[in-house]
């Protein structure tokens, strides 16, 4: 793996660093101290000094799943570890090791250019490779966990590097061991295992519709179709700040689902693998009339009610105030609690 050469053992502290351009919501935020992490070797001494000084700390990747406060105290580790390489290949699968700071979408595109299909349904998800396992990113019927072999991370509790196997990571729907243990691990490398046997995944109606005129779609066709749908449905963070879906799709048990169906026969939902029912949060919010709704500079995206947007000049308080209004209304109307998906720092 090509790691940054001659990187200092301890990176220079950047004091009072503005993060407005480092989070896709475009929220104003000043990091008290920030450190560019370009190689795992920087972490042991840096973390010893951060922990020794009793500072709070967190990792920031592409900033596409966070709500940043006006002032971010303590230390912010800016994840920039580069590199990707094929480390193993046999008749069944190909393994690829990737630095945590690599851009996710560029990595997906690179795998397809190497004729390594599998990740195409996860195209155009913003952010870094290192963040992908944190909430087990998913889209169009695929989840990153299915393709992970091991993860290398620095464990701040043990103050040592650890290697976690896929089965150790407690991956679940938009969840993982890392998410359950915030401010503990710094993911430095993800090793993917991409099966040679490839089966297209077209279970999502919109994706199938997009490819209706393509009888035997290739992974490249699916990649292009996913990109096209996403570009037409989601706001481009460079133009309108957002963090993708702001709420998780709620999972309810069979009895709650049956009761809801009596009152709302048109309810949009899908079976979950663990016997629960997954409700489409966007539908619940839309039914409350929130599409295009605004509270000051914070708003609900007019094409997709699950996405909150920054119309310009919003801060974390504005976004969270709007989120509370939506949560309250959905609770009143459906008796369902909506949980915020992005990480609130
Ligand atoms: P950040 O936002 O920087 O961080 C997210 C969390 O991960 C934070 O808690 C941070 O501390 C932690 N973290 C980041 N890097 C590391 C690391 N190396 N080690 C330890 N912890 C780390 N998500 C989906 O699941 N599916 C989608 O389809 C999807 N679509 C999106 C579309 C848009 C337009 C946007 C803006 C977001 C979307 N997201 C989606 C959410 C987001 O892109 C993903 O969660 C992504 O993985 C976040 O990556 P990031 O590098 O930006 O992480
Ligand atoms: P959509 O296709 O309009 O579907 C609405 C919801 O229904 C989705 O959240 C999806 O759940 C669920 N769904 C649809 N078809 C399904 C099926 N065949 N089986 C199981 N569940 C199904 O959703 P969208 O908003 O345009 O997003 C498309 C995909 O991109 C979704 O997978 C979504 O998760 C992902 N996405 C995620 C984010 C994010 O920030 N997390 C942002 C944008 C898009 P799932 O969400 O579980 O897939």
């Amino acid at each position: 793996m090509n790691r940054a050469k001659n990187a200092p053992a301890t990176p220079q502290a950047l004091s009072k660093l503005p993060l407005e351009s480092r989070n896709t919501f475009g929220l104003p935020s000043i990091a008290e101290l920030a450190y560019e992490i370009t190689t795992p070797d920087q972490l042991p001494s840096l973390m010893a000094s951060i922990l020794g000084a009793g500072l709070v700390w967190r990792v920031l990747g592409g900033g596409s799943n966070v709500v940043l406060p006006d002032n971010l105290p303590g230390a912010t580790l800016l994840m920039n570890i580069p590199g990707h390489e094929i480390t193993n290949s046999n008749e069944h699968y190909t393994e690829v090791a990737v630095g945590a700071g690599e851009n996710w979408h560029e990595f997906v595109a690179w795998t397809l250019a190497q004729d390594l299909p599998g990740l195409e349904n996860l195209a155009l998800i913003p952010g870094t490779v290192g963040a992908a396992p944190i909430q087990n990113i998913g889209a169009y019927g695929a989840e990153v966990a299915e393709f992970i072999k091991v993860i290398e991370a620095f464990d701040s509790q043990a103050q040592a590097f650890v290697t976690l196997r896929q089965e150790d990571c407690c991956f679940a729907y938009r969840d993982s061991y890392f998410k359950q243990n915030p401010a503990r691990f710094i993911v430095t490398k993800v090793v993917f295992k991409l099966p040679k046997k490839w089966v297209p995944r077209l279970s999502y109606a919109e994706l199938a519709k997009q490819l209706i005129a393509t009888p035997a779609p290739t992974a490249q066709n699916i990649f292009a179709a996913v990109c096209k749908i996403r570009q037409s449905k989601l706001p481009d963070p460079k133009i309108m700040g957002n963090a993708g879906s702001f709420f998780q799709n709620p999972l309810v048990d069979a009895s709650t689902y049956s009761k809801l169906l009596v009152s709302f026969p048109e309810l949009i939902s899908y079976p979950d693998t663990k016997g629960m029912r997954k409700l489409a949060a966007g539908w619940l919010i839309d039914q409350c009339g929130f599409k295009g709704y605004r509270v000051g500079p914070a708003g609900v995206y007019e094409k997709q009610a699950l996405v909150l947007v920054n119309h310009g000049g919003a801060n974390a308080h504005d976004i969270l105030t709007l989120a509370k209004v939506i949560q309250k209304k959905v609770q009143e109307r459906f008796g369902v609690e909506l949980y915020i998906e992005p990480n609130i720092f």
Side-chain angles (χ1 to χ4, degrees), residues 243-298:
S245 304
F246 200 80
F247 301 101
Q248 290 179 359
N249 287 326
L251 297 174
V252 297
D253 59 29
S255 128
T256 308
Y257 170 61
S258 310
K259 283 184 205 143
L260 276 169
L261 213 50
V262 173
S263 310
F264 307 98
E266 68 289 13
L267 179 70
I268 298 184
S269 72
Y270 298 86
D272 175 66
T273 43
K274 292 188 179 125
M276 303 282 277
R277 197 81 192 176
K278 180 178 73 179
L279 310 181
W283 185 86
L284 300 175
I285 299 167
D286 192 13
Q287 291 301 300
C288 296
F290 278 122
K291 257 188 196 161
Y293 180 80
R294 283 175 77 148
V295 175

Side-chain angles (χ1 to χ4, degrees), residues 22 24 58-66 79 100 122-139 174 178 185-188 230 234-237 242-245 341 343 345:
R22 291 180 185 247
T24 59
R58 82 288 301 165
V59 185
L60 188 66
S64 64
N65 209 24
V66 288
M79 179 47 67
L122 302 174
L124 222 56
I125 298 180
T128 53
V129 167
I134 308 300
Q135 76 156 7
N136 181 19
I137 57 168
R174 304 290 190 272
F178 306 104
F185 296 100
I186 302 161
V187 173
T188 55
R230 293 181 74 103
L234 292 167
D236 179 348
N242 74 92
S245 304
E341 184 173 288
N343 303 268
F345 282 167

Side-chain angles (χ1 to χ4, degrees), residues 40-91:
D41 307 342
Q42 296 167 318
L43 292 172
S45 61
L46 176 63
M47 288 310 292
S49 69
I50 289 172
L51 298 169
L55 297 179
V56 289
W57 64 276
R58 82 288 301 165
V59 185
L60 188 66
S64 64
N65 209 24
V66 288
V67 178
L68 300 183
D70 296 354
N71 291 295
L72 204 46
T76 300
L77 275 51
L78 307 169
M79 179 47 67
N80 266 318
I81 297 174
H84 53 254
E85 66 177 345
I86 294 175
T87 49
N88 191 15
S89 181
N90 60 35
E91 60 186 296

Side-chain angles (χ1 to χ4, degrees), residues 19 23 238 240 295:
L19 298 176
N23 73 99
K238 289 195 194 90
M240 192 182 277
V295 175

Side-chain angles (χ1 to χ4, degrees), residues 70-236:
D70 296 354
N71 291 295
L72 204 46
T76 300
L77 275 51
L78 307 169
M79 179 47 67
N80 266 318
I81 297 174
H84 53 254
E85 66 177 345
I86 294 175
T87 49
N88 191 15
S89 181
N90 60 35
E91 60 186 296
H92 301 298
Y93 56 82
T94 306
E95 285 177 20
V96 191
V98 192
E102 288 285 318
N103 176 276
W104 172 260
H105 175 72
E106 283 168 18
F107 166 60
V108 173
W110 177 83
T111 58
L112 294 177
Q114 308 305 305
D115 201 17
L116 300 174
L119 300 175
E120 56 282 349
N121 290 47
L122 302 174
L124 222 56
I125 298 180
T128 53
V129 167
I134 308 300
Q135 76 156 7
N136 181 19
I137 57 168
Y140 297 102
E143 287 185 346
V144 73
E146 305 165 53
F147 303 98
I148 289 175
K149 185 183 182 201
V150 293
I151 290 176
E152 290 183 14
F154 186 79
D155 180 354
S156 66
Q157 237 170 51
Q159 297 218 27
F161 286 99
V162 290
T163 300
L164 289 103
R165 296 167 305 160
Q166 200 267 9
E167 53 273 36
D168 301 327
C169 296
C170 305
F171 286 121
Y173 183 60
R174 304 290 190 272
D175 201 9
S176 71
Y177 189 63
F178 306 104
K179 195 168 169 182
Q180 294 299 328
N181 291 275
R184 176 167 170 188
F185 296 100
I186 302 161
V187 173
T188 55
K189 188 200 277 184
V190 182
V191 180
F192 294 87
K193 191 170 172 176
L194 303 171
K196 289 268 164 77
K197 188 167 183 282
W198 178 76
V199 184
R201 295 183 195 205
L202 302 168
S203 62
Y204 276 48
E206 224 171 344
L207 184 55
K209 194 171 149 209
Q210 186 70 38
L211 288 161
I212 202 143
T214 313
T218 61
Q220 285 283 7
N221 294 145
I222 295 173
F223 174 87
V226 168
C227 290
K228 194 168 173 194
I229 301 170
R230 293 181 74 103
Q231 277 160 344
S232 71
K233 271 187 97 168
L234 292 167
D236 179 348

